[in-house]
Amino acid sequence: MLGYPLGWEVWTSFTNLSPLQDRVAFVGLQNYRGQIEDPQFWLAATVTVVHAAITTVAKLALGLGFALLLARPFRGRTLVFLAVFLPWAYPASVSVIGWYWTLSPPITTSYSVFMGTLKYAVDNALGTGAWVFLSVTLFNIWRGSSFIGVLLLAGINAVPPELFEYATLESKSAWQRFWMVTVPVLKPFLALGVFLSLTSGFADLANVWMLTNGRIVFPVIGTHAYWLAIEGGEFGPASALSLMLVPFLLAALLLLFRLFDPPDREPA
């Protein structure tokens, strides 16, 4: 189910496949060279990298905070866990509509006037599209930090409690125990969380599309590929654009697991 679409996209990236063409021809690396020479590609790539970096750092920090909070029993822990878990468990399409109506109210009220004033203030201060970029980024952080929090909580629960008890006896500094014990045991989970966050940040097409109601004010790789394929009928360049992310994601995956889960050294 995954191999066929991927294979079709690879083949398409080397052709001029388009409803505007009478016949399909092999063009080699022309589509890739065209993307590299296109200033719009570099703009979309820059926005995508910034978006992915901001959301990844924020989601990792919030998710780790949620996991550490929920790792200890306290009154109302179940309700807090539900509040943390719900953003990820709830259907994304419904969540996007809720966010869209919250940020762009469909009914004229004092709240909608306030949000409209805030939007224009942000755009005037930071440039056109800043409000949309902020909205998409906050939604990605809100939904993604929920998943990372649950993932890291599962990692903490998988560690024997005796390890943390021993660390408490060895050091009274909570910060030292966090860096010397908690972070090392969570390294594989942190690596997986960062990679999944980067993937969602690079491929954040659906959220951008729905939150902007189809009005793409700032381009990311996903929206740029959509416009090339669906609006422009250029399936070859759009496939090449999508596949150009694969080497970077694979390199990020290899680097993350090298940093967070290095291979065991054999005794001399």
Side-chain angles (χ1 to χ4, degrees):
M1 294 182 63
L2 295 177
Y4 175 76
L6 179 60
W8 185 87
E9 188 169 16
V10 172
W11 173 79
T12 303
S13 68
F14 294 108
T15 67
N16 65 343
L17 178 64
S18 171
L20 305 178
Q21 299 287 343
D22 295 332
R23 57 188 294 272
V24 180
F26 181 80
V27 296
L29 298 176
Q30 178 179 333
N31 292 326
Y32 293 92
R33 287 195 297 265
Q35 291 302 317
I36 294 176
E37 296 171 357
D38 185 8
Q40 191 70 12
F41 162 75
W42 292 107
L43 174 61
T46 301
V47 174
T48 303
V49 169
V50 173
H51 172 65
I54 293 175
T55 55
T56 297
V57 172
K59 285 186 287 186
L60 194 64
L62 288 174
L64 185 57
F66 292 151
L68 294 176
L69 173 65
L70 294 170
R72 295 182 177 183
F74 57 89
R75 187 184 298 273
R77 180 175 179 268
T78 303
L79 294 177
V80 175
F81 177 81
L82 181 62
V84 171
F85 181 70
L86 192 60
W88 176 72
Y90 212 68
S93 56
V94 179
S95 301
V96 168
I97 294 175
W99 271 74
Y100 180 75
W101 283 350
T102 301
L103 299 174
S104 301
I107 302 175
T108 302
T109 61
S110 58
Y111 173 75
S112 63
V113 173
F114 168 76
M115 293 304 295
T117 304
L118 179 62
K119 172 185 179 300
Y120 285 115
V122 172
D123 283 343
N124 288 333
L126 303 177
T128 303
W131 175 254
V132 178
F133 181 83
L134 179 63
S135 304
V136 175
T137 301
L138 288 176
F139 177 81
N140 190 294
I141 294 172
W142 172 75
R143 183 169 170 81
S145 61
S146 171
F147 170 75
I148 292 181
V150 175
L151 174 67
L152 297 181
L153 178 61
I156 293 176
N157 291 335
V159 179
E162 295 81 8
L163 181 61
F164 293 109
E165 294 174 359
Y166 179 77
T168 304
L169 296 175
E170 288 293 319
S171 175
K172 298 299 181 181
S173 172
W175 184 253
Q176 189 176 15
R177 293 197 303 270
F178 170 75
W179 279 111
M180 300 300 293
V181 179
T182 305
V183 171
V185 299
L186 287 180
K187 280 183 177 181
F189 298 91
L190 290 170
L192 181 59
V194 171
F195 179 72
L196 293 176
S197 178
L198 286 174
T199 304
S200 65
F202 276 107
D204 199 7
L205 166 62
N207 294 336
V208 174
W209 183 264
M210 290 186 287
L211 277 172
T212 60
N213 199 22
R215 299 186 296 269
I216 307 302
V217 181
F218 67 94
V220 292
I221 294 294
T223 58
H224 188 39
Y226 174 87
W227 282 105
L228 283 174
I230 306 302
E231 300 294 335
E234 301 180 37
F235 295 146
S239 297
L241 177 60
S242 300
L243 290 172
M244 290 174 74
L245 292 175
V246 175
F248 296 101
L249 291 176
L250 291 178
L253 178 63
L254 179 61
L255 178 62
L256 286 170
F257 277 97
R258 284 286 184 179
L259 291 175
F260 289 110
D261 192 20
D264 295 333
R265 295 181 179 179
E266 297 182 359

